[in-house]
Amino acid sequence: MRLSVAAAISHGRVYRRFGLNPRSRLDLLRNLVTALVRYERIETPWARADEMRGYAERLIDYAKRGDKDERAMRMADFWLTEKDLIHKLFKVLAPRFQPHPGSYTRLLQIPNRDGLDRAKMAVIELKGNPLPPLPGPRRDSDKTLLNQLLKGYRQDAQRAA
Amino acid sequence: VLVLVHSPLPRIRALLQRCWGRLERGLWPGVFRGQSPPWGPALAVQGPALVPQGIKDTGESSAKVPSLLESMVWMAAPKQRRTIEVNRCRRRHRSKLIEIKRNIDVCPECGNLKQKHVLCGYCYEKVKEETQLIRMEIHKKEGGPFNAPAVETVVLYEGEKPTEKDEGKRIIERTRKRPSWFVQN
């Protein structure tokens, strides 16, 4: 199978390295997951947001099992360091995402950070949050000149046929 | 075998000690192999202390700059001056120039420039300010830390009433007109 250069060089390793050691990496990601569940939209470096996304979505999958489930409760207890968010997870987020089969988060890139490091930043948010919507990827509006001309051409072709 | 370790420089001394060690162990086959091992100095006399030289001499020898014969440390240095043509080829190579970006577009909402795969900076700033104000209202309502409610939240602007969909939700009031880009669901 043809892999990209980075994927080939990594020889199958998918987890990025963060922090001082693997335990510190998990703590870092745990803090981010807690913040995401609390604020429903956070701005972090892109690599951390990408890494955290998988963990957050799996946590919501566990929460969908219901809070009577022992494993789900233990997962929520580990991943959410602020214990009032466990209630929010099971009572607010699980019902909100019950109809959706997957992909509960949205990850979008932002202009680079203003500080000295100019880091690649991203905003990650839970779908269906009450905050103002992000200026997401918009399709071309129908009112641009090119689209109007194409629409006219399509209509002419239909009339001719 | 009389061996005189004469040189005062630490580097030379170390080098000679290494050579001697190699000779001892028979790892230096360049020198004659036929000798009966083990070798050992019959008499080893250290440096300038015992050699009958004046005290002034020892002072001078330790303060002397090492001559070219004794400084045996080789360092790399360029042999020839690089011509300006060669220099230009290296400095202006394609990998060293700044790439031009061809993925810059105009944001359809505000008209500022943005990269195609990145959110528009201006529009995102607007959204960020509004979320900051909403979060301040939330903080005021919650009163303290770790008071996240177990119900959904809805944001209502001036003159808006909660509908049937916002039945059990916590309402956050904002004292301004609804912005045009924040569509009510």
Side-chain angles (χ1 to χ4, degrees):
Chain A
M1 182 165 118
R2 298 245 91 186
L3 302 165
S4 71
V5 173
I9 279 179
S10 70
H11 291 290
R13 293 170 196 247
V14 284
Y15 298 143
R16 291 177 179 87
R17 300 162 127 201
F18 289 120
L20 317 157
N21 50 56
R23 180 66 206 214
S24 127
R25 167 183 171 273
L26 280 177
D27 287 335
L28 224 141
L29 295 173
R30 188 167 57 163
N31 287 342
L32 287 171
V33 169
T34 307
L36 180 67
V37 170
R38 171 164 237 111
Y39 297 113
E40 303 205 22
R41 179 188 288 170
I42 55 176
E43 204 181 284
T44 82
W46 189 88
R48 291 183 190 189
D50 195 46
E51 197 81 3
M52 191 262 279
R53 197 176 184 198
Y55 288 101
E57 305 210 337
R58 275 171 209 256
L59 180 65
I60 297 180
D61 280 326
Y62 266 105
K64 276 196 196 176
R65 293 192 195 184
D67 68 352
K68 301 290 175 224
D69 193 43
E70 177 53 37
R71 281 196 75 186
M73 189 46 85
R74 281 207 342 246
M75 276 290 175
D77 185 49
F78 176 78
W79 280 97
L80 300 172
T81 51
E82 294 161 12
K83 302 307 169 187
D84 54 322
L85 295 175
I86 300 182
H87 299 281
K88 179 175 176 183
L89 176 72
F90 284 107
K91 294 183 190 163
V92 176
L93 299 182
R96 191 202 283 182
F97 294 122
Q98 204 65 47
H100 300 282
S103 90
Y104 318 114
T105 55
R106 190 177 284 131
L107 177 68
L108 297 163
Q109 193 183 343
I110 291 177
N112 287 356
R113 200 193 257 152
D114 281 328
L116 185 63
D117 64 351
R118 308 296 294 172
K120 176 179 184 182
M121 299 289 276
V123 63
I124 181 167
E125 65 165 7
L126 295 170
K127 293 184 183 170
N129 63 64
L131 303 168
L134 290 171
R138 283 303 140 72
R139 308 203 61 121
D140 259 341
S141 124
D142 211 21
K143 300 194 182 87
T144 59
L145 178 62
L146 185 58
N147 282 343
Q148 287 285 301
L149 292 171
L150 286 170
K151 193 167 125 185
Y153 176 78
R154 251 181 269 128
Q155 282 172 351
D156 288 343
Q158 269 177 3
R159 248 178 263 137
Chain B
V1 177
L2 182 73
V3 172
L4 188 70
V5 181
H6 176 60
S7 146
L9 299 163
R11 265 199 192 145
I12 312 308
R13 210 184 294 145
L15 178 64
L16 290 173
Q17 276 170 3
R18 265 184 275 128
C19 294
W20 181 250
R22 270 192 239 145
L23 266 178
E24 283 253 68
R25 282 172 264 145
L27 293 171
W28 205 354
V31 193
F32 28 48
R33 273 299 241 141
Q35 290 279 327
S36 59
W39 283 35
L43 176 67
V45 173
Q46 212 202 7
L50 283 169
V51 170
Q53 292 171 2
I55 305 169
K56 266 195 230 166
D57 265 331
T58 47
E60 275 175 24
S61 59
S62 55
K64 241 193 281 176
V65 173
S67 67
L68 286 168
L69 286 172
E70 286 180 15
S71 58
M72 284 187 358
V73 184
W74 300 120
M75 306 257 323
K79 195 73 179 174
Q80 292 286 354
R81 178 210 158 100
R82 282 160 151 181
T83 60
I84 186 61
E85 295 87 5
V86 165
N87 281 340
R88 279 197 198 116
C89 288
R90 185 184 66 256
R91 289 168 192 161
R92 298 182 190 184
H93 188 259
R94 228 176 62 167
S95 65
K96 304 210 178 168
L97 299 179
I98 306 174
E99 287 179 24
I100 35 173
K101 292 190 202 252
R102 297 190 190 275
N103 52 4
I104 304 181
D105 253 344
V106 173
C107 169
E109 320 281 301
C110 59
N112 291 33
L113 296 174
K114 70 186 267 294
Q115 278 190 300
K116 285 184 189 161
H117 59 290
V118 178
L119 295 186
C120 168
Y122 186 79
C123 303
Y124 179 67
E125 259 323 297
K126 272 194 311 195
V127 173
K128 221 164 86 159
E129 268 174 45
E130 189 58 34
T131 47
Q132 182 62 22
L133 296 167
I134 293 175
R135 282 201 184 130
M136 270 161 46
E137 298 284 321
I138 292 177
H139 187 79
K140 264 189 271 174
K141 197 148 201 193
E142 286 182 0
F146 310 132
N147 287 345
V151 285
E152 294 263 13
T153 314
V154 102
V155 180
L156 294 176
Y157 286 88
E158 241 173 87
E160 286 176 12
K161 300 281 172 336
T163 64
E164 319 87 40
K165 275 192 297 180
D166 316 329
E167 277 305 287
K169 298 187 188 175
R170 158 179 78 155
I171 296 172
I172 304 289
E173 316 258 294
R174 281 275 297 125
T175 53
R176 60 156 281 189
K177 189 168 75 88
R178 179 167 282 263
S180 55
W181 43 268
F182 188 176
V183 176
Q184 191 174 19
N185 287 332

